[in-house]
Amino acid sequence: PTAGWWGALVGPGRALDTDRWFVVAPNVLGGCQGSTGPASRRPGGKAWGSAFPRLTQRDQVRAEVGLADALGIGRWALVIGGSMGGMRALEWAVGEPRRVGALLLLACPAAAGAEQIAWASAQLHAIRADPHWRGGDYHDAGPGRGPHTGLGIARRIAHVTYRSAGELQSRFGHEAQEGEHPWRGGRYRVESYLDHQAAKLVRRFDAASYVALVEAMNTHDIGRGRGGTRAALGRVRARTVVAGVDSDHLYPLVQQAELAAGIPSADGVRVVRSPYGHDGFLLETEQVGGLVRELLAGAPDQPGRRTGVEPA
C-alpha cells in the first residue's frame, strides 16, 4: 500500500483540511476494490463476469447519491474530480445542482471525444483478444487464468496517453535499458517503463472492471437526454473552477474551455502548468491545492449539519 494519489492534498492543514471537513472518497461502482464489480459474487456464488450490467457515468453518480443519502449528507461543500472523476463531479453538479456547493473540474470533458473513444477501443480490443478473456467469464477459471497479457497491453496503450511526448523524451530518449540491447532482444528504456506500469496494474486490478470503467467513460455525455451540452451545463448552480493541464493531449484544454463557457459561474479555464501530460492533474498537487483552497475559502462551516467534500 502507498499513500495514493493526492496524499499531499488531503489531511490536517492541507488544502482538503480534515480538521475542518469530512472527506468522502467512494470507490466507483464497477471497480474491483470495495464496490460491486464484475468480480463480485452474485446470488448463487458465481462471479458476475459477463452478466455485470453496462454502466454509465450517470449510473455511477446515482450510486453515489444513494451513498450520500445513507450518510445523511444533504449538500456537499465541494465536489472535486479529474479525468473520470471529473466526469462524475460534473454529473453531480448537473443532476443534483442543489446538493453541490462548489465544483472543481480537472482535465475532463463535457462528452467523450472521438480520439478518446478511439484510444479506449484499442485497449478494449487488447483485453478481449486475450485467450483467457473467455467472454468476460474467467473469474472462476482458477488462479492466474485471467486475461493478464491483454490487460497489460491495454495499460501500456493508456499510459502513453497519460504522459506527454516531451516528458517521455526527456526521461528516456532513444536510450536502451541498462544491460539490454534492443537489436538483440532487449528493450529501450521507455519500453521497460511501460512494462513496469503494466505489471503494477495487472497485480492490483481486474480486467473486467477495467473494461466496465473504460466503457462507462466512453458513454460520458453530459447533454444526453438534457437538451444538449449547453442546456445541461446551464443547470450548474455551484461555484465552479474549471482547470486543465497545458500538456494534456488526452483531454486537451479546448474541452475544458467548452465547460467553462457553458457553466454560468465558471470564470474561464485555469491552466495547470506541467510537463507530465494528463497525469499533471494528479502530480501537480501544489497548483491543484491552490484551486481547492480558493473554492473552500468561501464555504461556510455549518455546525450541526453533515457536510463534506467528495473527491470523485
Side-chain angles (χ1 to χ4, degrees):
T2 68
W5 295 114
W6 284 358
L9 235 64
V10 184
R14 295 175 183 165
L16 293 172
D17 187 352
T18 50
D19 285 336
R20 182 181 180 194
W21 303 104
F22 295 105
V23 178
V24 182
N27 189 53
V28 66
L29 184 65
C32 54
Q33 297 172 348
S35 65
T36 304
S40 302
R41 298 291 160 179
R42 54 178 158 165
K46 286 180 128 184
W48 280 102
S50 64
F52 191 75
R54 185 83 173 252
L55 295 174
T56 68
Q57 297 296 317
R58 211 166 293 179
D59 295 327
Q60 292 166 336
V61 170
R62 287 193 189 104
E64 293 175 358
V65 169
L67 172 63
D69 291 344
L71 294 174
I73 298 173
R75 179 178 170 87
W76 297 105
L78 170 65
V79 179
I80 173 176
S83 194
M84 183 176 73
M87 298 175 187
R88 285 157 50 213
L90 182 60
E91 277 288 347
W92 260 102
V94 171
E96 300 287 337
R98 299 182 186 279
R99 299 185 70 167
V100 180
L103 178 67
L104 177 52
L105 301 175
L106 297 165
C108 66
E115 185 176 8
Q116 289 136 18
I117 294 171
W119 281 117
S121 175
Q123 297 168 51
L124 296 175
H125 276 287
I127 293 172
R128 289 173 172 147
D130 190 309
H132 294 297
W133 170 245
R134 297 179 56 176
D137 293 315
Y138 59 86
H139 296 93
D140 298 313
R145 301 292 293 177
H148 307 312
T149 297
L151 178 60
I153 294 171
R155 176 61 173 178
R156 289 173 177 86
I157 295 168
H159 203 78
V160 172
T161 72
Y162 299 156
R163 313 301 279 231
S164 73
E167 188 227 356
L168 292 176
Q169 180 64 26
S170 65
R171 286 179 67 182
F172 305 111
H174 192 251
E175 300 300 315
Q177 178 68 1
E178 186 176 355
E180 300 185 25
H181 196 302
W183 293 12
R184 302 189 184 100
R187 300 169 297 173
Y188 290 98
R189 287 182 61 204
V190 71
E191 291 179 289
S192 174
Y193 169 69
L194 294 177
D195 289 347
H196 172 69
Q197 296 298 330
K200 279 202 313 182
L201 187 79
V202 167
R203 284 196 299 269
R204 68 178 176 83
F205 213 78
D206 177 55
S209 276
Y210 193 99
V211 168
L213 300 183
V214 167
E215 287 184 332
M217 293 177 74
N218 284 349
T219 72
H220 174 60
D221 180 357
I222 201 66
R224 185 179 61 252
R226 292 168 171 155
T229 297
R230 177 68 74 167
L233 295 178
R235 295 167 63 168
V236 176
R237 295 292 174 264
R239 293 176 293 108
T240 302
V241 167
V242 178
V245 181
D246 59 356
S247 57
D248 187 349
H249 64 92
L250 180 60
Y251 293 101
L253 286 170
V254 65
Q255 293 184 321
Q256 288 85 64
E258 181 182 23
L259 293 174
I263 295 174
S265 61
D267 182 17
V269 177
R270 309 298 180 83
V271 178
V272 174
R273 308 288 178 186
S274 176
Y276 299 115
H278 184 59
D279 274 355
F281 86 90
L282 293 167
L283 298 170
E284 304 293 352
T285 52
E286 185 173 345
Q287 295 180 65
V288 174
L291 301 176
V292 172
R293 291 180 191 278
E294 176 185 332
L295 279 168
L296 288 178
D301 290 308
Q302 300 180 57
R305 292 187 62 192
R306 286 180 135 182
T307 63
V309 177
E310 182 190 40

